[in-house]
Amino acid sequence: MAIKPLINLFSILVMLFSFSLLAPFAVSLVYKDSASNIFLLTFLIIFIPSVFSWYFTRNAQEEMGVKDGFIIITLFWVVLSAAGSIPFALSGMSLIDSFFESMSGITTTGATVIKGLDLMPESILFYRQLLQWMGGMGLIVLAIAVMPLLGIGGGQLYKTEIPGALSDQKLTPRIKETAQALWAIYLALTALCAMMYFIMGMTPFDAISHSLSTVSIGGFSTHDESIGYFDSVAIESVCMVFMLLSALSYALHYFALYKKKPLKYFYDSELRFFISILCLVVALSVLIAYLVGYNDASFRQILFQSVSIVSTTGFVSTDYSAWPTAITFLLLIGAFIGACSGSVGGGIKSWRVLIMINHAKTNIIRLVHPNAVVSLKIGSKAVDDKVAESVWGFFSIYVICFMLLLLSLLATGMDFESAFSAIGACLNNLGPGLGMVSETYGSVTDFGKGVLALAMILGRLEIFTLLVLFTTVFWEK
């Protein structure tokens, strides 16, 4: 294992993160709030040690291997969350609450322990949004865009950071160009989203802040009432459009924008499946509301909450936790399926669910017709049985992790509805749950917050990237 190159790269990545603190520092100066010293002090605390560790390992030239990629990815998210928690701690929050808030932001989960957002300094609010925006695509990909400056290759990091369909195809011949293309799309969507929010009535601060958490599918807001604070059909419409765009594979955006192939959207099986699941959730929610005679949820509210939760964003326009239990758990099931592969969304991912459904279908056909030659296909593409077995393996580990995390949270005394939804929301990087965690996670015990923070990073790294570090095979030479 290449220790010095690992430390060198790690130092550079943390230094990159430290410069992001200058943005909320500038916001603090503009709005003349009381948090400017917090961000300046945090910058120095993070930047100075990073410079020293980089200096003493600057001559390391070894190439990183697969194992190094797993370690740097996992440790970076943990240390980044720890570093990101410093401004919250300096503002008066407890250490566990600060770490929870930071982990929730950088993993784009959107679960918060803070109540009273409307009274907080603008710089702290902006910092929360910025954490989600940086975590959305992954700071690792940003580092890969400048990897030639680091003197080491970045292919392994990119493959580890973005699992699924996108990791198996280089959108451009060189990984650096791939990362740059992804970030260009990400930046363009963010700028366009901010502009549309402003046109539809948000203040410049709210427009920029919410664009950061919308495009990253994070769900943090600058108001306790989230998007419901604005009570605007126009703003909710903009929000839904960009939540959907960010829930789609960035490979599709690349082909549409760079290769001039917009028809890729219409031919993509996973996109059609994702939209079908969303439409099914909306239709069933409306039907359930009608059958039980629940009139407090309008179609507008059901549509918005369905898009927000199925895409794993987590914005709210109303207190949906008060809706009939059948609807709220239906929405949660949608979040379990999640967004498309290669997107910034969470969940199991639509392509995995699509493969499992089709694999089960082919096995049923084989049982009825033992001599039939049946191949697994997604659209017009054949899928190897080994891929399907790998997906089922992932799902098995996912279920086991979910059950263990749920048991741990129930041991803290939390009721089943709250615990189930909290684990589901954090493991799928959704955010808001049901019951006692429908608004904030402030009432959860410190141990419970630690469990939920573990669920967040498991979900963000899609489980295997983290769990592989706990196997003896990984550490064998």
Side-chain angles (χ1 to χ4, degrees):
M1 188 176 298
I3 300 297
K4 284 190 176 181
L6 204 63
I7 295 174
N8 182 260
L9 174 60
F10 203 82
S11 302
I12 294 173
L13 294 174
V14 175
M15 271 194 286
L16 287 174
F17 171 72
S18 69
F19 286 113
S20 68
L21 294 163
L22 299 179
F25 173 73
V27 171
S28 181
L29 295 179
V30 171
Y31 285 91
K32 299 179 181 179
D33 62 32
S34 58
S36 57
N37 291 336
I38 290 176
F39 292 106
L40 184 58
L41 179 59
T42 305
F43 171 77
L44 296 175
I45 291 173
I46 298 175
F47 180 74
I48 293 176
S50 301
V51 171
F52 276 105
S53 59
W54 166 79
Y55 179 79
F56 289 112
T57 58
R58 67 190 185 282
N59 294 323
Q61 298 295 329
E62 298 176 58
E63 182 75 17
M64 288 196 306
V66 176
K67 291 184 178 181
D68 299 307
F70 280 106
I71 292 172
I72 194 69
I73 292 289
T74 304
L75 285 182
F76 182 71
W77 285 103
V78 173
V79 174
L80 183 63
S81 297
S85 69
I86 296 176
F88 297 122
L90 293 178
S91 67
M93 293 172 60
S94 68
L95 292 180
I96 185 63
D97 281 355
S98 300
F99 183 77
F100 182 92
E101 195 75 14
S102 179
M103 178 67 80
S104 178
I106 205 66
T107 57
T108 70
T109 302
T112 183
V113 295
I114 300 175
K115 195 171 185 178
L117 293 173
D118 299 87
L119 303 176
M120 293 189 68
E122 284 82 357
S123 56
I124 296 290
L125 294 175
F126 182 79
Y127 174 66
R128 293 170 74 246
Q129 310 298 106
L130 187 62
L131 278 178
Q132 292 202 320
W133 188 79
M134 290 187 295
M137 182 62 73
L139 285 176
I140 304 299
V141 180
L142 175 61
I144 291 169
V146 294
M147 194 60 76
L149 300 177
L150 310 184
I152 58 177
Q156 294 297 343
L157 285 178
Y158 177 76
K159 187 175 181 180
T160 310
E161 171 64 8
I162 305 183
L166 192 56
S167 66
D168 296 328
Q169 56 181 327
K170 288 186 177 181
L171 307 184
T172 55
R174 299 175 59 189
I175 196 68
K176 171 189 170 184
E177 295 171 4
T178 302
Q180 289 175 333
L182 294 174
W183 269 102
I185 297 170
Y186 195 59
L187 283 168
L189 284 175
T190 305
L192 184 59
C193 182
M195 182 178 68
M196 293 302 298
Y197 273 144
F198 177 70
I199 292 173
M200 296 305 171
M202 281 191 182
T203 65
F205 176 78
D206 277 340
I208 294 173
S209 297
H210 283 86
S211 69
L212 298 178
S213 56
T214 303
V215 173
S216 65
I217 304 192
F220 272 164
S221 177
T222 55
H223 304 282
D224 286 324
E225 297 179 57
S226 190
I227 295 296
Y229 170 86
F230 303 99
D231 192 22
S232 167
V233 175
I235 288 175
E236 290 172 17
S237 299
V238 170
C239 188
M240 285 190 288
V241 167
F242 283 92
M243 285 191 292
L244 288 173
L245 287 174
S246 294
L248 303 183
S249 171
Y250 270 64
L252 293 179
H253 296 325
Y254 172 83
F255 283 115
L257 296 173
Y258 283 80
K259 298 296 184 180
K260 311 299 181 184
K261 296 180 179 179
L263 293 180
K264 281 277 187 180
Y265 289 115
F266 300 97
Y267 297 141
D268 187 73
S269 300
E270 184 186 22
L271 187 154
R272 293 200 299 267
F273 178 74
F274 172 74
I275 297 299
S276 299
I277 291 296
L278 178 59
C279 292
L280 181 62
V281 169
V282 173
L284 288 177
S285 297
V286 172
L287 179 61
I288 292 170
Y290 173 76
L291 291 176
V292 301
Y294 188 77
N295 299 317
D296 292 341
S298 65
F299 177 77
R300 164 189 163 187
Q301 292 171 333
I302 290 176
L303 177 62
F304 181 86
Q305 288 307 143
S306 297
V307 173
S308 177
I309 294 174
V310 173
S311 68
T312 72
T313 308
F315 282 131
V316 295
S317 62
T318 185
D319 182 17
Y320 78 95
S321 64
W323 292 357
T325 304
I327 297 179
T328 56
F329 270 88
L330 175 63
L331 294 175
L332 191 58
I333 290 171
F336 273 90
I337 296 174
C340 298
S341 60
S343 72
V344 291
I348 295 172
K349 293 295 191 298
S350 293
W351 75 277
R352 288 194 180 103
V353 178
L354 185 58
I355 287 176
M356 287 191 290
I357 291 174
N358 280 275
H359 188 247
K361 179 181 176 181
T362 57
N363 282 337
I364 291 173
I365 295 174
R366 287 167 183 168
L367 285 174
V368 179
H369 304 286
N371 298 322
V373 178
V374 184
S375 60
L376 174 60
K377 286 189 175 182
I378 303 297
S380 59
K381 296 181 179 179
V383 178
D384 193 278
D385 280 343
K386 290 183 179 179
V387 175
E389 292 171 4
S390 176
V391 169
W392 278 108
F394 169 87
F395 182 69
S396 300
I397 298 297
Y398 177 93
V399 172
I400 292 171
C401 288
F402 182 90
M403 297 305 295
L404 292 175
L405 291 167
L406 176 60
L407 182 62
S408 300
L409 204 55
L410 288 172
T412 66
M414 186 180 292
D415 65 276
F416 183 81
E417 179 189 32
S418 300
F420 186 93
S421 65
I423 295 297
C426 290
L427 189 59
N428 295 311
N429 302 127
L430 167 62
L434 305 173
M436 63 182 287
V437 293
S438 60
E439 294 183 4
T440 75
Y441 287 70
S443 59
V444 179
T445 64
D446 288 351
F447 175 76
K449 289 170 184 171
V451 171
L452 293 173
L454 175 60
M456 292 178 201
I457 194 168
L458 275 171
R460 181 64 181 87
L461 298 178
E462 301 205 1
I463 297 179
F464 279 130
T465 306
L466 179 60
L467 292 186
V468 71
L469 299 182
F470 296 95
T471 62
T472 56
V473 175
F474 179 82
W475 298 103
E476 291 176 355
K477 293 184 179 180

